[in-house]
Amino acid sequence: MAFGKRKDDREVATYMKLSPKTVLLYVVIIIFCVIVISPLVIVFSSSLRTPGNQTSPLNLFIEFSAQSYIQAFTSMNYPMQLLNSVMTTGGSVIMIIIFATMAAYPIGRIKTKTAKFLYYFFISGLIIPSQMVIVPIAQTLSRLGIPNTRFTPMIMFITCSLPFSVFLFSGFMKGVPIEIEESAYIDGASLLKRFTTVVFPLLQPAIVSCVITQGLWIWNDYFYPMVFISRKVQYSLPVGMLQFLGDKENPAQWNVLFAACVLCALPLIVLFLALQKQFVNGIAAGAVKG
């Protein structure tokens, strides 16, 4: 027993001897975490105040009230805007995955100059800001007679996400063994069946990465819904939050705005907590394959 105790003491002493480089690394990490978390704490603290409480937001948790949340929930028509955000984000992500995987499949499998040209064609979309061409796009949609509805921004979300998604899936596609497809081909499986039943399930890690990266920016984006949606009842959550910024005549309702920010992020937090295991497993599987 004494020998075991001395061994444990030596291990504790070894762990306690940290090099200056390790200590510096820990200090940098702590400072970075404080910088990242501090604004979130300030937002949550201010959201718990009454709308008229305009004291310094640095005075944390001096009041606990749900009035700002109630006002934000009512003024935004939160259930309707939540439904609009879910429909827009979910529909866009589904279409992105379908189009990107179908485009990446021949690019990753066919070794020709045409496939290489298509790969660089999609990649070139990463260097062109969509905001730079928003005016001609809006004019084109208007001339085509496409109405401004909650589904119109999905066109921009899908097209803007395809370059990165094709880049992601085509790179991952190269790691999928072609021998599995050849076995299915020998068994008489058609091209569509090989893609849907053999290749597509193996892309789960890349799909999880695509859902996280593209779903987050689509959910938080307010630019395209603000441009292409004209009816307030079809606004998404980020656009609904803008009404609390105020103007020259009506000052900004900061506590209500912070409460709206929390309500906007709440569905993502709940979704991540519910599907945390699937997200982590998908990303870990992708890391192992890479």
Side-chain angles (χ1 to χ4, degrees):
M1 293 293 293
F3 175 75
K5 185 176 180 181
R6 287 197 299 270
K7 183 178 180 182
D8 293 339
D9 293 340
R10 286 197 301 268
E11 291 178 353
V12 172
T14 301
Y15 286 125
M16 293 298 293
K17 294 179 180 178
L18 299 177
S19 64
K21 185 181 297 185
T22 304
V23 174
L24 179 61
L25 178 61
Y26 286 163
V27 171
V28 172
I29 293 175
I30 292 173
I31 294 175
F32 177 77
C33 291
V34 170
I35 293 174
V36 172
I37 296 175
S38 295
L40 303 179
V41 175
I42 293 174
V43 167
F44 183 66
S45 172
S46 300
S47 68
L48 295 175
R49 301 180 182 182
T50 56
N53 188 344
Q54 298 299 325
T55 57
S56 174
L58 298 180
N59 298 328
L60 302 177
F61 301 105
I62 60 175
E63 185 179 8
F64 296 91
S65 173
Q67 294 185 18
S68 296
Y69 284 95
I70 296 174
Q71 183 173 339
F73 189 92
T74 305
S75 301
M76 293 173 61
N77 193 3
Y78 184 78
M80 179 59 68
Q81 293 186 2
L82 175 62
L83 178 62
N84 294 336
S85 293
V86 170
M87 293 172 61
T88 302
T89 305
S92 299
V93 170
I94 291 174
M95 299 305 296
I96 289 168
I97 293 174
I98 293 175
F99 292 150
T101 52
M102 294 177 66
Y105 179 66
I107 291 176
R109 283 288 185 258
I110 302 174
K111 307 300 181 181
T112 62
K113 293 183 178 180
T114 303
K116 185 176 292 187
F117 167 78
L118 290 175
Y119 175 76
Y120 288 115
F121 174 77
F122 279 105
I123 296 302
S124 63
L126 293 173
I127 63 176
I128 302 176
S130 57
Q131 292 82 0
M132 187 174 65
V133 294
I134 191 65
V135 173
I137 290 177
Q139 293 176 347
T140 301
L141 294 178
S142 177
R143 292 175 182 176
L144 291 174
I146 299 177
N148 291 335
T149 66
R150 61 171 63 90
F151 301 106
T152 308
M154 292 175 59
I155 301 175
M156 295 301 302
F157 290 142
I158 294 171
T159 54
C160 293
S161 298
L162 278 179
F164 173 79
S165 301
V166 171
F167 169 76
L168 175 67
F169 283 114
S170 59
F172 193 86
M173 192 79 66
K174 298 176 181 178
V176 178
I178 194 172
E179 291 79 10
I180 301 177
E181 277 190 79
E182 292 175 346
S183 301
Y185 177 75
I186 294 174
D187 293 337
S190 63
L191 177 61
L192 180 60
K193 190 171 184 179
R194 295 199 305 270
F195 174 74
T196 55
T197 61
V198 178
V199 177
F200 191 81
L202 296 177
L203 298 177
Q204 180 182 355
I207 292 174
V208 172
S209 300
C210 182
V211 169
I212 294 174
T213 56
Q214 305 308 305
L216 281 177
W217 89 266
I218 293 174
W219 179 274
N220 294 322
D221 185 78
Y222 72 91
F223 180 73
Y224 295 125
M226 184 177 61
V227 172
F228 292 106
I229 296 178
S230 55
R231 298 177 58 187
K232 186 176 180 180
V233 71
Q234 297 180 347
Y235 282 168
S236 59
L237 286 174
V239 179
M241 291 166 48
L242 296 179
Q243 63 180 304
F244 302 116
L245 287 177
D247 49 32
K248 294 182 179 180
E249 298 179 358
N250 301 312
Q253 305 176 57
W254 292 110
N255 296 339
V256 182
L257 176 61
F258 291 150
C261 292
V262 175
L263 291 176
C264 184
L266 186 61
L268 293 180
I269 297 174
V270 173
L271 180 64
F272 177 78
L273 292 177
L275 303 177
Q276 182 179 8
K277 184 177 180 180
Q278 287 76 2
F279 285 151
V280 174
N281 289 342
I283 295 175
V288 171
K289 278 185 174 294

